[in-house]
Amino acid sequence: MKIALSLIALAFPTLLWGDAGFSISYRSTPVIVEKNWLNDSNWPEENAFYEGIVTQRSLNMVTLNLYFDDTVKAHDKKTTGGHYVDSYFIMQYEEPSKKYPAGRMIEKEIEIGDTTAEEINTKNAWRDGPDGNRVPQVYKKKVWKKKKAKGWLPNWLNPNKGAGYIAGINFNYAAEKDLVEYYSGDIYIGKRFFILPHIFHLYFKIGPSFARYNYDFVDRSLFTETKIGGFYNIGLQFLVVKGIKIFAETEFRGYGPAPMSDSFNLEKSNVEFVNALPPFSKNYKDTKVSKKWARDLITQGIRFGLKFNL
């Protein structure tokens, strides 16, 4: 009940002025699988023993996502608007330069306090300035002042300037026959930045993850474990038609070494996510750009998907 109320509290303001919906995506996820099993084929004549393999595979991961973007201040373009204010100026001589060999007169904005331009000009009518020249006249004109974004955060984090904050929930499922079955849930927050307002966005997401591994597809109760970890994503999304976006993102995911108390992993099998920017090697200098590299960029690690607005 508490979870349902929390989701309603998050979804309600998002539906009013945000950008909510669901997405589905696919990722070929590089992992290292350590698969062990108990060899008791000759028992009791010979003692049973553990044997296994270590192999690098790609799990076919499907993700269903519920997103609540721009829940904190939906704002998908730079702050516009403003108003005219009275400002005061003087004309000032600028010394000759390469660009302006004869010098030039430039306009300089000044503050005059609580007095008026007429009062200042009257008092300075016969007065010389510090440079020995006559004090220039003050004049008033209206100037357009752009509206400033509210908030104390820096511009790149301020939800009032640029696209707003994002949040959501992921449900992930992946499997590799006879090796491992993986399913997890993620909760995340992040920030979206516009490249082209409403059309093209860059974003990042970060949050905790709760995962369950199953290493036996028949007797699950003896070969399963639960772990807590975290992930972060960096992605791009592009508006195809109103309400539908395509996106691509790279993901870094990891889990703690100690399983939770409800785990019973009899054979001590293990899965480790390969967290290098695909398809780069962990030592990026060793990466060789080739046709295989370009193919792996698409098939190993980059998540592709579709977003649907509600």
Side-chain angles (χ1 to χ4, degrees):
M1 184 64 180
K2 290 182 179 179
I3 295 176
L5 290 174
S6 299
L7 288 174
I8 292 171
L10 182 63
F12 183 71
T14 308
L15 291 172
L16 286 181
W17 61 77
D19 179 15
F22 69 94
S23 71
I24 187 165
S25 59
Y26 168 80
R27 180 190 180 210
S28 180
T29 309
V31 295
I32 296 174
V33 181
E34 180 185 349
K35 175 70 172 180
N36 302 316
W37 58 86
L38 183 65
N39 189 336
D40 58 355
S41 56
N42 296 326
W43 191 87
E45 288 80 9
E46 296 180 12
N47 291 331
F49 62 94
Y50 282 105
E51 61 182 0
I53 58 169
V54 176
T55 179
Q56 181 163 343
R57 299 294 182 91
S58 290
L59 298 183
N60 296 308
M61 183 183 294
V62 176
T63 298
L64 176 64
N65 164 246
L66 303 178
Y67 62 87
F68 310 99
D69 292 357
D70 291 333
T71 301
V72 180
K73 187 67 177 177
H75 200 88
D76 198 33
K77 59 183 178 180
K78 290 183 177 178
T79 302
T80 56
H83 59 283
Y84 282 102
V85 296
D86 290 334
S87 294
Y88 296 88
F89 297 86
I90 60 172
M91 294 302 292
Q92 193 174 58
Y93 179 69
E94 184 181 74
E95 294 295 329
S97 63
K98 219 177 233 188
K99 190 173 182 181
Y100 302 100
R104 64 172 181 161
M105 299 300 291
I106 60 171
E107 194 174 54
K108 181 180 178 181
E109 186 174 1
I110 62 170
E111 294 287 340
I112 65 170
D114 295 330
T115 187
T116 65
E118 290 76 14
E119 289 175 349
I120 290 178
N121 290 332
T122 300
K123 290 183 179 180
N124 288 334
W126 308 105
R127 191 173 296 172
D128 291 336
D131 57 357
N133 296 320
R134 190 61 55 86
V135 175
Q137 280 203 330
V138 179
Y139 58 94
K140 179 177 74 172
K141 72 175 187 178
K142 291 190 178 296
V143 176
W144 179 258
K145 295 288 186 181
K146 287 184 179 180
K147 184 178 178 182
K148 291 184 178 179
K150 296 179 180 179
W152 51 270
L153 290 170
N155 286 343
W156 69 281
L157 283 177
N158 192 343
N160 293 296
K161 189 174 180 67
Y165 288 95
I166 61 178
I169 303 170
N170 293 332
F171 302 96
N172 311 299
Y173 177 81
E176 180 68 17
K177 187 178 179 182
D178 298 328
L179 284 177
V180 65
E181 184 180 43
Y182 163 89
Y183 38 103
S184 66
D186 312 322
I187 300 175
Y188 67 83
I189 58 172
K191 183 74 170 72
R192 198 169 65 177
F193 309 92
F194 66 81
I195 299 173
L196 293 174
H198 302 291
I199 297 174
F200 194 28
H201 288 149
L202 169 71
Y203 61 88
F204 75 87
K205 303 185 286 191
I206 187 169
S209 180
F210 181 86
R212 197 162 182 85
Y213 302 85
N214 173 52
Y215 300 101
D216 191 305
F217 288 52
V218 179
D219 193 354
R220 296 171 182 266
S221 61
L222 297 178
F223 308 97
T224 187
E225 62 181 1
T226 305
K227 291 184 177 181
I228 294 178
F231 80 103
Y232 67 92
N233 288 19
I234 301 171
L236 294 167
Q237 67 179 30
F238 183 80
L239 181 68
V240 181
V241 295
K242 187 174 182 179
I244 301 177
K245 303 181 184 80
I246 59 173
F247 66 91
E249 58 189 33
T250 185
E251 181 176 273
F252 300 83
R253 181 178 293 270
Y255 296 91
M260 297 182 69
S261 57
D262 64 338
S263 304
F264 194 87
N265 185 5
L266 183 65
E267 296 173 343
K268 306 299 181 187
S269 296
N270 185 54
V271 171
E272 177 187 347
F273 286 85
V274 179
N275 286 319
L277 184 64
F280 296 87
S281 61
K282 285 195 173 182
N283 182 357
Y284 292 100
K285 292 180 180 179
D286 294 339
T287 300
K288 295 181 180 179
V289 178
S290 62
K291 287 184 179 179
K292 182 179 183 303
W293 178 89
R295 184 172 62 252
D296 289 346
L297 179 65
I298 305 299
T299 61
Q300 292 186 19
I302 299 293
R303 171 177 283 119
F304 294 95
L306 286 171
K307 279 187 170 184
F308 302 91
N309 284 23
L310 295 178

